[in-house]
Coordinates of all heavy atoms in Angstrom, one line a residue:
Chain A
D89 N 10.5 -31.4 26.3 CA 11.4 -30.3 26.3 C 11.6 -29.6 24.9 O 12.7 -29.4 24.4 CB 12.8 -30.8 26.8 CG 13.7 -29.6 27.2 OD1 13.2 -28.5 27.6 OD2 14.9 -29.8 27.2
G90 N 10.5 -29.3 24.3 CA 10.5 -28.6 23.0 C 10.2 -29.5 21.9 O 9.8 -29.0 20.8
A91 N 10.4 -30.8 22.0 CA 10.3 -31.7 20.8 C 8.8 -31.8 20.5 O 7.9 -31.8 21.4 CB 10.9 -33.0 21.1
C92 N 8.5 -32.1 19.2 CA 7.1 -31.9 18.7 C 6.4 -33.2 18.7 O 5.3 -33.3 18.1 CB 7.3 -31.4 17.3 SG 8.4 -32.3 16.2
H93 N 6.9 -34.3 19.2 CA 6.2 -35.6 19.2 C 6.9 -36.5 20.3 O 8.0 -36.2 20.7 CB 6.4 -36.3 17.8 CG 7.9 -36.6 17.5 ND1 8.5 -37.8 17.9 CD2 8.8 -35.8 17.0 CE1 9.7 -37.7 17.6 NE2 10.0 -36.6 17.0
L94 N 6.1 -37.5 20.7 CA 6.7 -38.5 21.6 C 7.5 -39.5 20.8 O 7.2 -39.8 19.6 CB 5.6 -39.2 22.3 CG 4.9 -38.5 23.5 CD1 3.8 -39.3 24.1 CD2 5.9 -38.1 24.6
S95 N 8.6 -40.1 21.4 CA 9.3 -41.2 20.7 C 9.1 -42.4 21.5 O 8.7 -42.4 22.7 CB 10.8 -40.8 20.7 OG 11.3 -40.7 22.0
A96 N 9.4 -43.6 20.9 CA 9.1 -44.9 21.5 C 10.0 -45.1 22.7 O 9.6 -45.8 23.7 CB 9.3 -46.0 20.5
V97 N 11.2 -44.5 22.8 CA 12.1 -44.8 23.9 C 11.5 -44.0 25.1 O 11.6 -44.5 26.3 CB 13.5 -44.4 23.6 CG1 13.6 -42.9 23.4 CG2 14.4 -44.8 24.7
Q98 N 10.9 -42.9 24.9 CA 10.2 -42.2 26.0 C 9.1 -43.0 26.6 O 8.9 -43.0 27.8 CB 9.7 -40.8 25.5 CG 10.9 -39.8 25.2 CD 10.3 -38.6 24.5 OE1 9.4 -38.6 23.7 NE2 11.0 -37.4 24.8
V99 N 8.3 -43.6 25.7 CA 7.2 -44.4 26.1 C 7.7 -45.7 26.9 O 7.2 -46.0 27.9 CB 6.4 -44.9 24.9 CG1 5.3 -45.9 25.3 CG2 5.7 -43.6 24.3
A100 N 8.8 -46.3 26.4 CA 9.4 -47.4 27.1 C 9.8 -47.0 28.6 O 9.5 -47.8 29.5 CB 10.6 -47.9 26.3
D101 N 10.4 -45.9 28.7 CA 10.7 -45.4 30.1 C 9.5 -45.2 30.9 O 9.4 -45.6 32.1 CB 11.5 -44.0 30.0 CG 12.9 -44.2 29.5 OD1 13.4 -45.4 29.5 OD2 13.6 -43.2 29.2
A102 N 8.5 -44.5 30.3 CA 7.3 -44.2 31.1 C 6.6 -45.5 31.5 O 6.0 -45.5 32.6 CB 6.3 -43.4 30.2
L103 N 6.6 -46.5 30.7 CA 5.9 -47.8 31.0 C 6.4 -48.4 32.3 O 5.7 -49.1 33.0 CB 6.1 -48.8 29.9 CG 5.2 -48.6 28.7 CD1 5.5 -49.5 27.6 CD2 3.7 -48.7 29.1
Q104 N 7.7 -48.1 32.7 CA 8.3 -48.6 33.9 C 7.6 -48.0 35.1 O 7.7 -48.5 36.2 CB 9.8 -48.3 34.0 CG 10.6 -48.9 32.8 CD 10.4 -50.4 32.6 OE1 10.4 -51.1 33.6 NE2 10.1 -50.8 31.4
N105 N 6.9 -46.9 34.9 CA 6.3 -46.2 36.0 C 4.8 -46.3 36.1 O 4.1 -45.5 36.8 CB 6.8 -44.7 36.0 CG 8.2 -44.5 36.3 OD1 8.8 -45.1 37.2 ND2 8.9 -43.8 35.4
L106 N 4.2 -47.2 35.2 CA 2.8 -47.4 35.3 C 2.5 -48.8 36.0 O 3.3 -49.7 35.7 CB 2.2 -47.5 33.9 CG 1.8 -46.2 33.2 CD1 1.1 -46.5 31.8 CD2 0.8 -45.4 34.0
P107 N 1.5 -48.9 36.8 CA 1.2 -50.2 37.4 C 0.5 -51.1 36.4 O -0.7 -51.3 36.4 CB 0.2 -49.8 38.5 CG -0.5 -48.5 38.0 CD 0.5 -47.8 37.1
I108 N 1.3 -51.6 35.4 CA 0.8 -52.2 34.2 C -0.1 -53.4 34.5 O -1.1 -53.7 33.8 CB 1.9 -52.6 33.2 CG1 1.3 -52.9 31.8 CG2 2.8 -53.7 33.8 CD1 0.9 -51.8 31.0
A109 N 0.2 -54.2 35.6 CA -0.5 -55.4 35.9 C -2.0 -55.1 36.2 O -2.9 -55.9 36.0 CB 0.2 -56.2 37.1
Q110 N -2.2 -53.9 36.8 CA -3.6 -53.6 37.1 C -4.4 -53.0 36.0 O -5.6 -52.7 36.1 CB -3.6 -52.5 38.3 CG -2.8 -53.0 39.5 CD -2.4 -51.8 40.4 OE1 -3.1 -50.8 40.4 NE2 -1.3 -51.9 41.1
L111 N -3.8 -52.8 34.8 CA -4.4 -52.0 33.7 C -4.9 -52.9 32.6 O -4.3 -54.0 32.4 CB -3.5 -51.0 33.2 CG -2.9 -50.0 34.1 CD1 -1.9 -49.1 33.4 CD2 -4.0 -49.1 34.8
D112 N -6.0 -52.5 31.9 CA -6.4 -53.2 30.7 C -5.9 -52.4 29.5 O -5.7 -53.0 28.4 CB -7.9 -53.3 30.6 CG -8.5 -54.0 31.8 OD1 -8.2 -55.2 32.0 OD2 -9.3 -53.4 32.6
L113 N -5.8 -51.1 29.6 CA -5.6 -50.2 28.5 C -4.7 -49.1 28.9 O -4.9 -48.5 29.9 CB -7.0 -49.7 28.1 CG -7.1 -48.6 27.1 CD1 -6.5 -48.9 25.7 CD2 -8.6 -48.2 26.9
V114 N -3.7 -48.8 28.0 CA -2.9 -47.6 28.2 C -3.1 -46.7 27.1 O -3.0 -47.0 25.9 CB -1.4 -48.0 28.2 CG1 -0.5 -46.8 28.3 CG2 -1.1 -49.0 29.4
F115 N -3.5 -45.5 27.4 CA -3.6 -44.4 26.4 C -2.3 -43.6 26.4 O -1.8 -43.2 27.5 CB -4.8 -43.4 26.8 CG -6.1 -43.8 26.2 CD1 -7.1 -44.2 27.1 CD2 -6.4 -43.6 24.9 CE1 -8.3 -44.6 26.5 CE2 -7.6 -43.9 24.4 CZ -8.6 -44.4 25.2
I116 N -1.8 -43.3 25.3 CA -0.7 -42.4 25.1 C -1.3 -41.1 24.5 O -1.8 -41.1 23.4 CB 0.4 -42.9 24.2 CG1 0.9 -44.2 24.7 CG2 1.5 -41.9 24.1 CD1 1.9 -44.9 23.7
E117 N -1.3 -40.0 25.3 CA -1.7 -38.7 24.7 C -0.5 -38.0 24.2 O 0.4 -37.6 24.9 CB -2.4 -37.9 25.8 CG -3.0 -36.6 25.2 CD -3.7 -35.6 26.1 OE1 -4.2 -36.0 27.2 OE2 -3.8 -34.5 25.7
N118 N -0.4 -38.0 22.9 CA 0.7 -37.4 22.2 C 0.8 -35.9 22.3 O -0.2 -35.3 22.7 CB 0.8 -37.8 20.7 CG 2.2 -38.2 20.3 OD1 3.1 -37.4 20.5 ND2 2.3 -39.4 19.7
V119 N 1.9 -35.3 22.0 CA 2.0 -33.8 21.9 C 1.0 -33.3 20.9 O 0.7 -33.9 19.9 CB 3.4 -33.4 21.5 CG1 3.6 -31.9 21.3 CG2 4.5 -33.9 22.4
G120 N 0.4 -32.1 21.2 CA -0.6 -31.5 20.3 C 0.0 -31.1 19.0 O 0.6 -30.1 18.9
N121 N -0.2 -31.9 18.0 CA 0.4 -31.7 16.7 C -0.1 -32.7 15.7 O -0.1 -33.9 16.0 CB 2.0 -31.9 16.9 CG 2.8 -31.6 15.7 OD1 2.3 -31.7 14.5 ND2 4.0 -31.3 15.9
L122 N -0.7 -32.2 14.6 CA -1.4 -33.1 13.7 C -0.4 -33.7 12.7 O -0.8 -34.6 11.9 CB -2.5 -32.3 13.0 CG -3.7 -33.0 12.5 CD1 -4.3 -33.9 13.5 CD2 -4.7 -32.0 12.0
V123 N 0.9 -33.3 12.7 CA 1.8 -33.7 11.7 C 2.8 -34.7 12.2 O 2.8 -35.9 11.8 CB 2.6 -32.4 11.1 CG1 3.4 -32.8 9.9 CG2 1.6 -31.3 10.8
C124 N 3.8 -34.3 13.0 CA 4.9 -35.1 13.4 C 4.6 -36.4 14.1 O 5.2 -37.4 13.8 CB 5.9 -34.3 14.2 SG 6.2 -32.6 13.5
P125 N 3.6 -36.4 15.0 CA 3.4 -37.6 15.8 C 2.9 -38.8 14.8 O 3.0 -39.9 15.2 CB 2.3 -37.3 16.8 CG 2.5 -35.8 17.0 CD 2.9 -35.3 15.7
S126 N 2.4 -38.4 13.7 CA 1.8 -39.5 12.8 C 3.0 -40.3 12.2 O 2.7 -41.4 11.8 CB 1.0 -38.9 11.7 OG 1.8 -38.2 10.7
V127 N 4.2 -39.8 12.2 CA 5.3 -40.5 11.6 C 6.0 -41.5 12.6 O 6.7 -42.4 12.2 CB 6.3 -39.5 11.1 CG1 7.5 -40.2 10.3 CG2 5.7 -38.5 10.2
F128 N 5.9 -41.2 13.9 CA 6.7 -42.0 14.9 C 5.8 -43.0 15.6 O 5.0 -42.7 16.4 CB 7.3 -41.0 15.9 CG 8.4 -40.2 15.3 CD1 8.0 -39.0 14.6 CD2 9.7 -40.6 15.4 CE1 9.0 -38.2 14.0 CE2 10.7 -39.8 14.8 CZ 10.3 -38.6 14.1
E129 N 6.0 -44.3 15.2 CA 5.3 -45.4 15.9 C 5.8 -45.5 17.4 O 7.0 -45.3 17.6 CB 5.6 -46.7 15.2 CG 5.2 -46.8 13.7 CD 3.7 -46.8 13.6 OE1 3.0 -47.5 14.4 OE2 3.2 -46.2 12.7
L130 N 4.9 -45.8 18.3 CA 5.3 -45.9 19.7 C 5.1 -47.3 20.2 O 5.4 -47.6 21.4 CB 4.4 -44.9 20.5 CG 4.5 -43.4 20.1 CD1 3.6 -42.6 20.9 CD2 6.0 -42.9 20.1
G131 N 4.6 -48.2 19.4 CA 4.3 -49.6 19.8 C 2.8 -49.8 20.1 O 2.5 -50.8 20.7
E132 N 2.0 -48.8 19.8 CA 0.6 -48.9 20.1 C -0.1 -50.0 19.2 O 0.4 -50.3 18.1 CB -0.1 -47.5 19.8 CG -0.1 -47.1 18.4 CD 1.1 -46.3 17.9 OE1 2.1 -46.4 18.6 OE2 1.0 -45.8 16.8
N133 N -1.3 -50.4 19.7 CA -2.1 -51.3 18.8 C -2.7 -50.4 17.7 O -2.8 -50.8 16.5 CB -3.3 -51.9 19.6 CG -2.8 -52.9 20.6 OD1 -2.4 -52.5 21.7 ND2 -2.8 -54.2 20.3
D134 N -3.2 -49.3 18.1 CA -3.9 -48.4 17.1 C -3.7 -46.9 17.4 O -3.5 -46.6 18.6 CB -5.4 -48.7 17.1 CG -5.7 -50.1 16.4 OD1 -5.2 -50.3 15.3 OD2 -6.4 -50.9 17.1
K135 N -3.9 -46.1 16.4 CA -4.0 -44.6 16.6 C -5.4 -44.2 16.6 O -6.3 -44.7 15.9 CB -3.2 -44.0 15.5 CG -1.7 -44.2 15.4 CD -1.1 -43.5 14.3 CE 0.4 -43.7 14.3 NZ 0.8 -45.1 14.1
V136 N -5.6 -43.2 17.5 CA -7.0 -42.5 17.5 C -6.7 -41.0 17.2 O -5.9 -40.4 17.9 CB -7.6 -42.7 18.9 CG1 -8.9 -41.8 19.0 CG2 -7.8 -44.1 19.3
V137 N -7.3 -40.5 16.2 CA -7.2 -39.1 15.9 C -8.4 -38.3 16.3 O -9.5 -38.8 16.2 CB -6.9 -38.9 14.4 CG1 -8.0 -39.4 13.5 CG2 -6.7 -37.4 14.0
V138 N -8.2 -37.1 16.9 CA -9.3 -36.3 17.3 C -9.3 -35.0 16.5 O -8.2 -34.4 16.3 CB -9.2 -35.9 18.8 CG1 -10.4 -35.1 19.3 CG2 -9.0 -37.2 19.7
L139 N -10.5 -34.7 16.0 CA -10.6 -33.4 15.2 C -11.7 -32.6 15.8 O -12.8 -33.1 16.0 CB -11.0 -33.7 13.7 CG -11.3 -32.5 12.8 CD1 -10.0 -31.7 12.6 CD2 -11.8 -33.0 11.5
S140 N -11.4 -31.4 16.2 CA -12.5 -30.5 16.8 C -13.3 -29.8 15.7 O -12.7 -29.4 14.7 CB -11.8 -29.5 17.7 OG -12.6 -28.3 17.7
V141 N -14.6 -29.8 15.9 CA -15.5 -29.1 14.9 C -14.9 -27.7 14.6 O -15.1 -27.2 13.5 CB -16.9 -29.0 15.5 CG1 -17.7 -28.0 14.9 CG2 -17.5 -30.4 15.4
A142 N -14.4 -27.0 15.6 CA -13.9 -25.6 15.4 C -12.7 -25.5 14.5 O -12.4 -24.4 14.0 CB -13.6 -25.0 16.8
E143 N -12.1 -26.6 14.2 CA -10.9 -26.6 13.3 C -11.2 -26.5 11.8 O -10.4 -26.2 11.0 CB -10.0 -27.8 13.5 CG -9.3 -27.8 14.9 CD -8.6 -29.2 15.1 OE1 -7.8 -29.6 14.2 OE2 -8.8 -29.8 16.2
G144 N -12.5 -26.7 11.5 CA -12.9 -26.7 10.1 C -12.8 -28.0 9.4 O -12.1 -28.9 9.8
D145 N -13.7 -28.2 8.4 CA -13.8 -29.5 7.8 C -12.9 -29.8 6.7 O -12.9 -30.9 6.0 CB -15.3 -29.8 7.4 CG -15.7 -28.7 6.3 OD1 -14.9 -28.0 5.8 OD2 -17.0 -28.7 6.1
D146 N -11.9 -28.9 6.5 CA -10.9 -29.2 5.4 C -9.6 -29.9 5.9 O -8.7 -30.1 5.2 CB -10.5 -27.8 4.7 CG -9.9 -26.8 5.7 OD1 -10.0 -27.0 6.9 OD2 -9.4 -25.8 5.2
K147 N -9.6 -30.2 7.2 CA -8.4 -30.8 7.8 C -8.0 -32.1 7.3 O -6.8 -32.4 7.0 CB -8.4 -30.7 9.3 CG -8.5 -29.3 9.9 CD -7.4 -28.4 9.4 CE -7.6 -27.0 9.7 NZ -8.7 -26.3 8.9
P148 N -8.9 -33.1 7.0 CA -8.5 -34.4 6.5 C -7.8 -34.2 5.1 O -6.8 -34.9 4.8 CB -9.8 -35.1 6.4 CG -10.7 -34.6 7.4 CD -10.3 -33.1 7.5
A149 N -8.3 -33.2 4.3 CA -7.6 -33.0 3.0 C -6.3 -32.4 3.2 O -5.3 -32.8 2.4 CB -8.5 -32.1 2.1
K150 N -6.1 -31.5 4.2 CA -4.8 -30.8 4.3 C -3.8 -31.6 5.1 O -2.6 -31.4 5.0 CB -5.1 -29.4 5.0 CG -5.9 -28.5 4.0 CD -6.1 -27.1 4.6 CE -4.8 -26.4 4.9 NZ -5.0 -25.2 5.7
Y151 N -4.3 -32.5 6.0 CA -3.3 -33.3 6.9 C -3.7 -34.7 6.7 O -4.1 -35.4 7.7 CB -3.4 -32.8 8.3 CG -3.1 -31.3 8.5 CD1 -4.1 -30.4 8.3 CD2 -1.8 -30.9 8.8 CE1 -3.9 -29.0 8.4 CE2 -1.6 -29.5 8.9 CZ -2.6 -28.6 8.7 OH -2.3 -27.2 8.9
P152 N -3.6 -35.3 5.5 CA -4.2 -36.7 5.3 C -3.5 -37.8 6.1 O -4.2 -38.8 6.4 CB -4.1 -36.9 3.8 CG -3.0 -35.9 3.4 CD -3.0 -34.8 4.3
A153 N -2.2 -37.7 6.4 CA -1.5 -38.8 6.9 C -2.1 -39.4 8.1 O -2.3 -40.7 8.2 CB 0.0 -38.5 7.2
I154 N -2.4 -38.6 9.1 CA -2.9 -39.2 10.4 C -4.3 -39.8 10.2 O -4.6 -40.7 10.9 CB -2.8 -38.1 11.5 CG1 -3.2 -38.7 12.9 CG2 -3.7 -36.9 11.2 CD1 -2.4 -39.9 13.3
F155 N -5.1 -39.2 9.3 CA -6.4 -39.8 9.1 C -6.3 -41.1 8.4 O -7.1 -42.0 8.6 CB -7.3 -38.8 8.3 CG -7.6 -37.5 9.1 CD1 -6.7 -36.4 9.0 CD2 -8.6 -37.5 10.0 CE1 -7.0 -35.3 9.7 CE2 -8.9 -36.3 10.7 CZ -8.1 -35.2 10.6
A156 N -5.3 -41.2 7.5 CA -5.1 -42.5 6.8 C -4.6 -43.6 7.7 O -4.9 -44.8 7.5 CB -4.1 -42.3 5.6
K157 N -3.9 -43.2 8.8 CA -3.3 -44.3 9.6 C -4.1 -44.6 10.9 O -3.7 -45.5 11.6 CB -1.9 -43.7 10.1 CG -0.9 -43.7 9.0 CD 0.5 -43.2 9.6 CE 1.5 -43.1 8.6 NZ 2.8 -42.6 9.2
S158 N -5.2 -43.9 11.2 CA -5.9 -44.1 12.4 C -7.0 -45.2 12.3 O -7.5 -45.4 11.3 CB -6.5 -42.8 12.9 OG -5.4 -41.9 13.3
K159 N -7.3 -45.8 13.5 CA -8.3 -46.8 13.5 C -9.7 -46.1 13.9 O -10.7 -46.6 13.6 CB -8.0 -47.8 14.6 CG -8.9 -49.0 14.7 CD -8.5 -50.0 13.6 CE -9.2 -51.4 13.8 NZ -8.6 -52.4 12.9
V160 N -9.5 -45.0 14.6 CA -10.7 -44.3 15.1 C -10.5 -42.8 14.9 O -9.5 -42.2 15.1 CB -11.0 -44.5 16.6 CG1 -12.1 -43.6 17.1 CG2 -11.3 -46.0 16.9

Side-chain angles (χ1 to χ4, degrees):
Chain A
D89 195 25
C92 53
H93 62 90
L94 285 176
S95 63
V97 66
Q98 291 170 325
V99 170
D101 284 348
L103 283 173
Q104 304 305 314
N105 296 310
L106 272 185
I108 193 76
Q110 302 161 30
L111 304 175
D112 302 300
L113 167 61
V114 174
F115 272 108
I116 301 170
E117 184 179 339
N118 222 308
V119 175
N121 183 336
L122 211 48
V123 188
C124 316
S126 72
V127 185
F128 291 83
E129 298 291 322
L130 304 179
E132 69 271 14
N133 295 81
D134 289 306
K135 292 179 178 62
V136 174
V137 58
V138 183
L139 175 68
S140 149
V141 158
E143 291 173 52
D145 59 12
D146 57 349
K147 296 306 166 289
K150 292 181 64 188
Y151 304 85
I154 185 58
F155 295 91
K157 288 181 181 180
S158 293
K159 189 81 168 189
V160 172

